Amino acid sequence: INISMGGTVCCYAASHGNQNAIDYINRQAELATDILSRIIEERTAQGKPDFLMVVAAGNANNDTFYKDENAYLGYRENQNFWESLWDNSYLDRLFPSLDHSVCGGTLAKYSHFLNTIEDPMIKDRVIVVGAVGIDAKNATDSTPKYVSTKFSNLGDRVDLVAPGQKIYGCNANGYGTLGGSGTSFAAPHVSGTAGLVFACDPTLSGPEVKEILLATATGSYAHGNASSGMVNANLAVEKALGLSEEPVPEPEET
């Protein structure tokens, strides 16, 4: 199940300790925990196939917000008149201590209520996906290199990364760049790979598929103080089919 949605200002506010934002996300997580627990228990009792939820990590890490003590969450997404005038007059560069704009340190944990759930039965069926893009300085046509994107949300809740910048695909005019970048472009790479693994062995549980995807991820891509490997469809399918005799290579520092 591919899920590409999430908050922006609420995610930023929660990441920086705003209790109203944290409480709001936690309430949603509690409701989801109750519902999903029942669904999993019922499907297991009935012998139905299991599932996995792949959630985009969110793209708010390089968004700009504005401190506002009167705002419910402590921040606003839009500038007021004076802030706009301040930026356009370059006064923010002369007096940075008076600048109300803030940016960065946005955690994937708070981007979506599914990411916040700690119940093992559900968390083991959730994969949070960050985005990487082509490293223009070091990549070649024959040897692609990737680097973490600035917009992708951070933290140890990011389980995997996948390409999510300038992704090509079908659009209204044929085939070409889809016109956007984001973790919503990265998550489907992981969802598709999970589908391939389930197809290799439909008896696998969601947690088992997640374990395969994490075990076969390659590379190491930093997102804040944590890092994750990139999804590798080839290795994941080989492992699911039992064809891989060699151990998965150690992550390479990137």
Side-chain angles (χ1 to χ4, degrees), residues 139-158:
T140 66
D141 290 341
S142 59
T143 308
K145 297 283 186 178
Y146 296 89
V147 65
S148 298
T149 61
K150 294 180 180 180
F151 58 77
S152 188
N153 288 347
L154 311 173
D156 58 7
R157 190 61 190 92
V158 179

Side-chain angles (χ1 to χ4, degrees), residues 124-147:
D124 288 347
R125 289 172 172 81
V126 175
I127 294 182
V128 181
V129 183
V132 294
I134 292 291
D135 182 353
K137 293 182 179 179
N138 300 306
T140 66
D141 290 341
S142 59
T143 308
K145 297 283 186 178
Y146 296 89
V147 65

Side-chain angles (χ1 to χ4, degrees), residues 200-213:
C200 292
D201 185 354
T203 66
L204 289 170
S205 69
E208 287 173 331
V209 174
K210 179 176 180 178
E211 183 178 351
I212 289 173
L213 296 183

